[in-house]
Amino acid sequence: MKVFISKTDNYDYDKEKLYHLIRERLDNVFGENYFQDKKRVLIKPNLLMNAEPHEAITTHPNFILALAHALKDKGTKVFLADNPGGFTSVTSVSEIYTTLGLDKFPETLTLLSNDKPPYAKNQIPFSWWTKGFDAVINLPKLKTHDLMLITAAVKNTYGFVQGMKKSSLHKDFPKPDDFARILVDIFKMFKPQINILDAIVSLEGEGPAKKGTPKKRGLIVFSDSAWALDWVLCKLIKIDPEKIPYIRLGLTQHLFDPSQIQIEPEDWQKFKINDFIFAPPTILATIPRPVLKLAGTLLSLKPVINTSVCKICKKCIETCPVAAIKINQKKQVEIDYSRCIKCLCCREVCPYAAVDVEYSLLYKLLKSILGAKPKTKETLS
């Protein structure tokens, strides 16, 4: 398993600079002839929602285009597809393509949508475009996540699931460890061999959507293993990888061996980020599980609608997997906490950053003591 870390000050995502860097690194990590027999290649970015590039919610469009250009020069036909979060129609991803300006380059890449029926595997609907390609390039964005703490290479494959099933799986697997299990099961169905992380500008703090904070980090990470990429990423942002639920499960299932990870350059530790802003729930990862179980509801959080910001677009209502959100008699969006499972899907899809998180008193106390940075040991030198 190889991981190659590149540092850049190209925070404006200049396409020409990115093209040369990506072209060189593809050859370094995968070999000059890797794409020789790969005539049809799918790029799977993170296109969570309709957002402007500077918001750092999606993989940057210039990053996508630079990669597509590099692949085209190698003789491949390049396709692009993803499933946005929440309730989505056939046109949802097309709207994102337009916002990002990707529809202006038909000669570089072919944009796909869910204009054909999905197919089912293990009772989960997957988009038709997840099959039929010689290679799939997993192109995630470095972002924080309330449930999984980070979203990077392994979690990006969750976007292969089509439509509302992504939200309903939260109902079936509401706890982090349970959701990690379905996440890993989905990843094992696809296992992309080419993984490139856009961490030039990351989304930190209250990610992975509109409440997050873009931060200039200047990193691009290449790997032939999503597991290796995410493991090394944890070392770069200085959190114990085993605190991430899906990585912990991957280790338990022996899906990868950290001792077999080859990292370049040799002095890669100079790229470590000392001030990464973690998602607030990361604090829970520092607390022993028996203590968490004992604390119960005393250590909890819940979504709260900021009615002064809410535009009543109904995205949260359409997305909620347990139908816990409605419009009340005051014509305001209201959450029924007797039904709410605290999956925070509503927060993830809100285009107006109108969903806040309210923390219990004990949670706030721990946050004030521990701070935003999780105090976890690093297990890989």
Side-chain angles (χ1 to χ4, degrees):
M1 295 182 290
K2 298 178 183 177
V3 177
F4 199 110
I5 306 166
S6 291
K7 181 71 174 176
T8 178
D9 60 359
N10 184 15
Y11 299 115
D12 295 328
Y13 287 84
D14 179 271
K15 278 189 291 186
E16 191 66 22
K17 292 179 181 178
L18 280 172
Y19 163 77
H20 290 294
L21 188 153
I22 290 171
R23 179 70 186 262
E24 180 181 352
R25 294 295 176 260
L26 285 176
D27 291 344
N28 291 152
V29 179
F30 304 102
E32 293 184 12
N33 299 320
Y34 183 86
F35 292 94
Q36 201 168 43
D37 60 345
K38 294 172 174 57
K39 303 304 180 184
R40 290 165 50 87
V41 174
L42 175 72
I43 296 176
K44 162 60 178 78
N46 183 320
L47 302 181
L48 172 66
M49 67 191 311
N50 202 348
E52 296 292 334
H54 71 269
E55 296 180 273
I57 293 171
T58 65
T59 306
H60 198 283
N62 284 0
F63 198 110
I64 295 170
L65 289 167
L67 172 61
H69 185 190
L71 293 170
K72 186 181 177 185
D73 284 355
K74 288 181 173 292
T76 66
K77 184 171 177 58
V78 187
F79 299 81
L80 183 78
D82 192 18
N83 277 301
F87 180 83
T88 57
S89 65
V90 172
T91 61
S92 296
V93 73
S94 297
E95 293 168 0
I96 297 176
Y97 293 152
T98 300
T99 297
L100 297 179
L102 294 168
D103 57 340
K104 298 176 182 177
F105 300 90
E107 72 287 351
T108 303
L109 73 170
T110 300
L111 305 177
L112 304 178
S113 63
N114 290 319
D115 55 349
K116 298 177 184 178
Y119 66 95
K121 195 172 184 178
N122 295 345
Q123 298 183 316
I124 298 174
F126 294 101
S127 291
W128 67 268
W129 45 257
T130 60
K131 298 191 296 185
F133 293 94
D134 299 316
V136 174
I137 298 184
N138 188 18
L139 197 62
K141 181 80 169 179
L142 170 55
K143 301 191 290 183
T144 52
H145 192 270
D146 288 316
L147 202 60
M148 294 293 100
L149 308 186
I150 62 167
T151 173
V154 172
K155 190 181 180 301
N156 199 45
T157 59
Y158 193 58
F160 288 138
V161 180
Q162 183 169 322
M164 281 296 292
K165 188 62 177 180
K166 291 198 299 298
S167 294
S168 66
L169 285 172
H170 282 279
K171 177 180 69 175
D172 300 330
F173 305 94
K175 296 180 181 179
D177 285 343
D178 295 333
F179 187 71
R181 191 173 300 111
I182 192 65
L183 198 66
V184 170
D185 285 347
I186 290 170
F187 176 83
K188 288 190 292 187
M189 296 179 196
F190 298 98
K191 295 184 285 191
Q193 299 300 306
I194 309 167
N195 305 273
I196 309 172
L197 178 72
D198 172 11
I200 297 175
V201 178
S202 61
L203 191 71
E204 302 176 18
E206 298 184 61
K210 290 283 186 174
K211 300 288 284 188
T213 303
K215 298 288 289 184
K216 294 179 179 179
R217 298 305 185 186
L219 295 177
I220 304 175
V221 187
F222 299 77
S223 183
D224 55 2
S225 164
W227 291 110
L229 191 156
D230 286 2
W231 176 275
V232 173
L233 171 62
C234 287
K235 308 314 299 179
L236 289 170
I237 64 176
K238 304 184 77 171
I239 184 173
D240 180 354
E242 294 188 41
K243 297 300 181 183
I244 307 301
Y246 68 82
I247 294 180
R248 183 168 60 246
L249 183 60
L251 289 168
T252 301
Q253 294 186 7
H254 306 290
L255 299 180
F256 74 108
D257 181 356
S259 68
Q260 299 302 308
I261 300 175
Q262 302 172 24
I263 310 173
E264 293 186 36
E266 290 185 2
D267 58 348
W268 64 272
Q269 297 198 44
K270 67 185 179 184
F271 299 134
K272 285 188 175 183
I273 299 170
N274 295 315
D275 59 347
F276 189 86
I277 307 170
F278 290 89
T282 308
I283 291 171
L284 299 179
T286 69
I287 302 170
R289 291 190 183 184
V291 176
L292 277 177
K293 289 183 179 180
L294 188 63
T297 57
L298 294 175
L299 198 57
S300 62
L301 55 84
K302 64 180 181 181
V304 178
I305 306 297
N306 185 338
T307 55
S308 65
V309 178
C310 177
K311 305 296 183 185
I312 316 183
C313 69
K314 300 182 182 180
K315 285 274 188 182
C316 58
I317 296 174
E318 295 167 344
T319 302
C320 180
V322 292
I325 309 175
K326 63 181 181 180
I327 297 176
N328 61 23
Q329 292 181 342
K330 296 180 181 179
K331 297 190 183 303
Q332 295 177 331
V333 175
E334 180 180 78
I335 299 174
D336 179 355
Y337 293 110
S338 68
R339 299 175 65 90
C340 177
I341 59 174
K342 284 78 175 178
C343 66
L344 302 180
C345 286
C346 53
R347 173 177 166 91
E348 188 168 306
V349 301
C350 179
Y352 302 105
V355 183
D356 296 323
V357 174
E358 183 177 289
Y359 301 96
S360 65
L361 184 61
L362 180 57
Y363 199 113
K364 292 177 182 176
L365 179 62
L366 281 172
K367 190 172 185 292
S368 66
I369 295 172
L370 298 174
K373 179 80 173 173
K375 307 300 190 292
T376 59
K377 71 175 183 177
E378 294 183 55
T379 55
L380 179 67
S381 60

